[in-house]
Amino acid sequence: MPRLILASTSPYRRELLARLGLPFEVQAPAAPEVALAGGPHAAMAARLALAKARSVPARDALIIGSDQVASLDGQLLRKPGAPEVAVAQLLACQGRTVLFHTAAAIVATDSDTTLEHVDVTEVQFRRLDAAALEEYVRREQPLDCAGSFKSEGLGVALFERISSRDPTALIGLPLIWLAHALTTLGVDPLRPARS
């Protein structure tokens, strides 16, 4: 079985990939995200995911890269980094829909085969007051999350609904697609001994 490498420093992506029960390594990607910005959000996420996967040097490996781009009315929502920025982002989202484009790419280094996918998730926000949003940010500290929330935690209290083909995509890695893609490359999560 080829080595499985996650090209990411994200603890959320690491936790997601671990759900498949396959042994994998983690390496920080060397892809400059800023240089690849621009264009449609789905295309930007796809370029960044592929660049991350290609930036990790390895032989006989399947390298997984992933990236997520969040937008409100066409404007990017970045990782807030500070509580006041997170609250401002959440205030702007009240009663509105945010789109999350989560891209994943797998590069098979022995054959230079590349598989790519972009999942789109729509998140409809409830209308909440600033005090509730400040309390949410204080309790959950979603400062490293695009959109300023963690859907796998208390963030669910912020929403009217989430529409997606893959609920793990919103957290950062579309596992439904990834499990199928790995199987097509000979690494089956359901039959790891035969892979």
Side-chain angles (χ1 to χ4, degrees), residues 2-7 46-66 104-117 177-178 181-182 184-185 187:
R3 292 164 54 206
L4 193 59
I5 300 173
L6 177 63
R47 282 196 313 269
L48 290 166
L50 185 58
K52 287 177 180 181
R54 286 186 172 156
S55 74
V56 173
R59 301 181 87 177
D60 193 31
L62 298 176
I63 305 173
I64 302 166
S66 185
I106 303 174
V107 173
T109 60
D110 61 337
S111 65
D112 203 31
T113 299
T114 301
L115 300 178
E116 299 179 75
H117 172 75
W177 174 82
L178 186 61
L182 288 171
T184 66
L185 294 170
V187 179

Side-chain angles (χ1 to χ4, degrees), residues 155-185:
V156 297
L158 305 173
F159 313 137
E160 289 288 341
R161 66 178 175 81
I162 297 174
S163 300
S164 178
R165 292 178 14 203
D166 186 339
T168 59
L170 184 58
I171 303 170
L173 190 63
L175 288 184
I176 293 173
W177 174 82
L178 186 61
H180 176 73
L182 288 171
T183 300
T184 66
L185 294 170

Side-chain angles (χ1 to χ4, degrees), residues 5-159:
I5 300 173
L6 177 63
S8 177
T9 57
S10 166
Y12 310 109
R13 289 191 178 106
R14 188 176 317 132
E15 290 171 12
L16 286 167
L17 185 55
R19 291 183 189 183
L20 296 183
L22 296 167
F24 67 94
E25 305 166 32
V26 175
Q27 291 190 33
E33 293 190 24
V34 176
L36 297 171
H41 297 138
M44 184 168 72
R47 282 196 313 269
L48 290 166
L50 185 58
K52 287 177 180 181
R54 286 186 172 156
S55 74
V56 173
R59 301 181 87 177
D60 193 31
L62 298 176
I63 305 173
I64 302 166
S66 185
D67 199 82
Q68 186 175 72
V69 175
S71 63
L72 174 65
D73 295 335
Q75 298 299 312
L76 288 179
L77 294 178
R78 302 202 182 269
K79 296 175 184 176
E84 60 277 7
V85 176
V87 171
Q89 274 192 3
L90 291 172
L91 280 168
C93 295
Q94 297 309 286
R96 301 167 80 189
T97 299
V98 175
L99 296 179
F100 287 82
H101 293 89
T102 307
I106 303 174
V107 173
T109 60
D110 61 337
S111 65
D112 203 31
T113 299
T114 301
L115 300 178
E116 299 179 75
H117 172 75
V118 177
D119 191 274
V120 180
T121 303
E122 295 181 2
V123 178
Q124 174 70 44
F125 279 79
R126 294 174 50 199
R127 290 193 177 275
L128 299 168
D129 61 26
L133 300 175
E134 289 167 1
E135 177 64 12
Y136 168 72
V137 170
R138 184 190 69 74
R139 288 174 62 187
E140 191 134 83
Q141 296 291 307
L143 306 182
D144 62 345
C145 301
S148 302
F149 66 83
K150 296 179 184 179
S151 64
E152 66 276 23
L154 183 58
V156 297
L158 305 173
F159 313 137

